[in-house]
Amino acid sequence: MNASLSTRELQALDSAHFIHPFTDTKALAAKGARIISKAEGIWITDREGHRILDGMSGLWCVNVGYGRTELADAAHRQMAELPYYNSFFQTTTEPSILLAAKLAELSPGFSRVFFSGSGSEGNDTVLRLVRHYWSVMGQPKRSTIISRWNAYHGSTVAGASLGGMKYMHEQGGLPIPGIAHIDQPYWVEHGHGMDREAFGKLAASWLEDKILELGPENVGAFIGEPVQGAGGVIIPPASYWTEIERICRKYDILIVADEVICGFGRLGSWWGSQRMGFKPDLMTFAKGVTSGYFPLGGVMVGDRVGEAIVEKGGEFEHGYTYSGHPVACAVALANLDIIEREGLVQRVAEVTGPRLRKGFAALADHPLVAEPEALGFVAGLVLAKEKGGPADGPGFVPFAPELGVGMVCRQHCFDNGLVMRAVGDRMIVAPPLCMTEDEVDELLRRIRYCLDRTYEDVRARGWC
């Protein structure tokens, strides 16, 4: 069908019938959506034949790259044998059993998993698990979960409430009760004039302040991304998470690591919490578990929580039609096999991750770039009006937000064969983990070229 329709005709159908996520539908209808038609390796191709380097791994997820026939074959074999059965009513399937065991093997201290269809569903499950755990432990008042402003934990009602995106909270009367927030550990925003490690400890102390404000007897858990993703690749100081863990253990509060982006090698370790040096009680996962080839998410349940709810909790009144979907689990098993067989986690840690970090550091010489940083295979930089500024400032002069310089840069990226995401005036990448060293260099070359075009553009507009 699509071969018989022109791009313009497909765009018209899209505008008439498809409500896109996080999109101004009216504005998109006026412009027309870019239609991606095929992909291979680290490259996507649109319907007009433009080949684009995917610097965002789809949506932080295509870790092993596009076109992996092993994953398509795994899905086909499972669909032919058993396309679906549920995990309710005391039944299970072989792929879900094997994947649960494999995930436990990759996760020291975690022997159980609850499957969902996405990271958002996983974080809804976290809320239920935390409250169920404390009820089982005879402390039902411990129902409040503390999160951070500018965190992203999904877009379902509970997930969006746990997240700290205020623009999301403005739609639908969020957050729901029992959710509290503290400021994020972003040195550029809050740490002016401070040593970064000292700032990390200060930012962690905001959690203790909030616990004492709410009363420790009312707080069940703290949730955070090891490195914040959708908020702009916010990499906390090394001191931050170890201090967060100390505070949580002091007040006997559960630690939840949202590993939806950071898990499965993104930071150069199987889990982001391992790279950041802390041990959570629960871990949400999705995205990289199947490299985006099939919807799947879940929660790794640490031994403390798992043993309590199994021994004392009775029936856990929660679940999804697609919990442990056999095709999703078969694809995940094949995907994890690729990651292990090709040594992608080690490659990011020792070879390509350091190369990306060095390349981003070198972008500091660009007149438009401030605060470039990278960790593993995530990286970000700030588009600055000018370098320098007062000693108690961020070290650069920002553009006025209403100019939308980040979106100007994003368009230059698309126009020149690169996907690079804009979060305000912060530009970020999270490329496929399968990239070679030469491909990392090509990514960096394209980033610099697009920054050059953006700089020419904003100067021509008189913005700097």
Side-chain angles (χ1 to χ4, degrees):
M1 177 181 175
N2 64 337
S4 65
L5 296 175
S6 69
T7 298
R8 188 176 297 276
E9 288 171 324
L10 285 170
Q11 288 173 328
L13 288 172
D14 181 79
S15 298
H17 304 295
F18 188 179
I19 299 177
H20 290 243
F22 290 93
T23 299
D24 182 328
T25 303
K26 183 178 180 180
L28 180 62
K31 179 182 180 182
R34 183 187 298 270
I35 301 172
I36 305 302
S37 58
K38 59 183 178 180
E40 186 72 24
I42 66 169
W43 301 91
I44 57 174
T45 304
D46 69 17
R47 210 164 186 273
E48 301 305 296
H50 299 120
R51 194 165 179 254
I52 305 165
L53 196 162
D54 184 6
M56 284 304 302
S57 303
L59 203 58
W60 317 83
C61 55
V62 188
N63 288 1
V64 301
Y66 298 96
R68 301 302 299 247
T69 56
E70 306 99 308
L71 303 189
D73 290 344
H76 178 263
R77 285 194 302 270
Q78 188 58 47
M79 284 183 175
E81 183 173 326
L82 177 68
Y84 171 76
Y85 201 72
N86 68 77
S87 54
F88 290 53
F89 317 126
Q90 301 182 5
T91 61
T92 190
T93 65
E94 184 175 334
S96 60
I97 296 169
L98 295 178
L99 180 59
K102 183 62 179 179
L103 290 170
E105 175 191 323
L106 296 173
S107 314
F110 294 82
S111 56
R112 294 179 174 87
V113 58
F114 188 99
F115 288 117
S116 66
S118 68
S120 294
E121 288 181 359
N123 281 324
D124 281 29
T125 300
V126 160
L127 186 145
R128 298 289 309 277
L129 278 169
V130 167
R131 292 178 175 176
H132 181 51
Y133 169 78
W134 285 114
S135 180
V136 164
M137 297 302 291
Q139 300 182 61
K141 288 176 62 180
R142 282 185 175 262
S143 60
T144 297
I145 300 178
I146 300 173
S147 181
R148 301 179 293 196
W149 295 119
N150 200 39
Y152 186 80
H153 297 299
S155 60
T156 53
V157 171
S161 295
L162 289 168
M165 303 292 188
K166 294 181 181 179
Y167 63 88
M168 294 175 68
H169 292 174
E170 292 169 0
Q171 295 182 342
L174 303 178
I176 59 176
I179 309 293
H181 295 85
I182 60 173
D183 278 324
Q184 61 181 339
Y186 187 25
W187 183 88
V188 170
E189 182 179 39
H190 299 296
H192 305 162
M194 290 188 67
D195 171 80
R196 289 179 186 262
E197 297 312 311
F199 168 69
K201 291 186 177 181
L202 172 65
S205 75
W206 300 333
L207 174 59
E208 186 163 25
D209 293 343
K210 181 61 70 172
I211 292 168
L212 294 174
E213 174 192 328
L214 297 169
E217 71 280 4
N218 298 314
V219 180
F222 172 73
I223 185 171
E225 304 152 86
V227 169
Q228 287 163 252
V233 180
I234 308 301
I235 303 171
S239 59
Y240 178 76
W241 271 110
T242 52
E243 184 66 5
I244 287 287
E245 183 173 26
R246 185 192 68 78
I247 291 166
C248 287
R249 299 311 176 207
K250 176 180 178 180
Y251 295 101
D252 196 26
I253 290 167
L254 299 177
I255 304 174
V256 183
D258 185 335
E259 298 270 10
V260 170
I261 286 173
C262 296
F264 305 105
R266 176 63 54 190
L267 301 187
S269 55
W270 276 103
W271 300 103
S273 49
Q274 292 172 329
R275 181 66 185 266
M276 305 309 288
F278 70 100
K279 296 180 180 180
D281 300 290
L282 298 167
M283 298 192 299
T284 318
F285 67 87
K287 296 188 185 293
V289 70
T290 65
S291 286
Y293 278 61
F294 208 95
L296 180 65
V299 182
M300 296 304 303
V301 181
D303 293 342
R304 171 186 176 180
V305 175
E307 290 171 9
I309 62 175
V310 168
E311 295 299 323
K312 304 178 181 180
E315 186 167 334
F316 182 38
E317 306 286 356
H318 177 73
Y320 306 103
T321 299
Y322 302 120
S323 292
H325 192 291
V327 180
C329 293
V331 171
L333 285 164
N335 176 67
L336 295 176
D337 180 65
I338 291 172
I339 293 173
E340 286 190 303
R341 189 175 70 247
E342 298 184 2
L344 297 185
V345 178
Q346 185 177 5
R347 187 197 302 180
V348 170
E350 299 178 1
V351 182
T352 52
R355 197 177 190 93
L356 180 66
R357 187 172 189 171
K358 182 179 179 180
F360 253 68
L363 292 172
D365 66 5
H366 194 280
L368 203 58
V369 171
E371 297 296 327
E373 57 181 345
L375 182 66
F377 251 34
V378 292
L381 56 83
V382 178
L383 301 177
K385 183 176 182 179
E386 60 183 86
K387 308 289 184 77
D392 61 349
F396 61 90
V397 178
F399 287 98
E402 60 270 19
L403 297 178
V405 174
M407 293 305 291
V408 172
C409 182
R410 180 179 180 271
Q411 189 60 50
H412 281 291
C413 291
F414 263 124
D415 291 344
N416 290 283
L418 172 66
V419 176
M420 192 177 189
R421 184 168 173 175
V423 180
D425 288 345
R426 189 166 171 84
M427 305 302 297
I428 61 175
V429 293
L433 307 190
C434 62
M435 289 184 92
T436 64
E437 293 177 82
D438 287 344
E439 287 171 337
V440 172
D441 292 343
E442 178 63 17
L443 169 68
L444 292 164
R445 187 192 68 77
R446 289 183 182 234
I447 290 172
R448 185 174 286 274
Y449 180 84
C450 294
L451 289 170
D452 289 343
R453 303 289 78 74
T454 304
Y455 186 55
E456 293 171 0
D457 194 343
V458 299
R459 281 176 59 85
R461 300 185 195 205
W463 292 353
C464 69

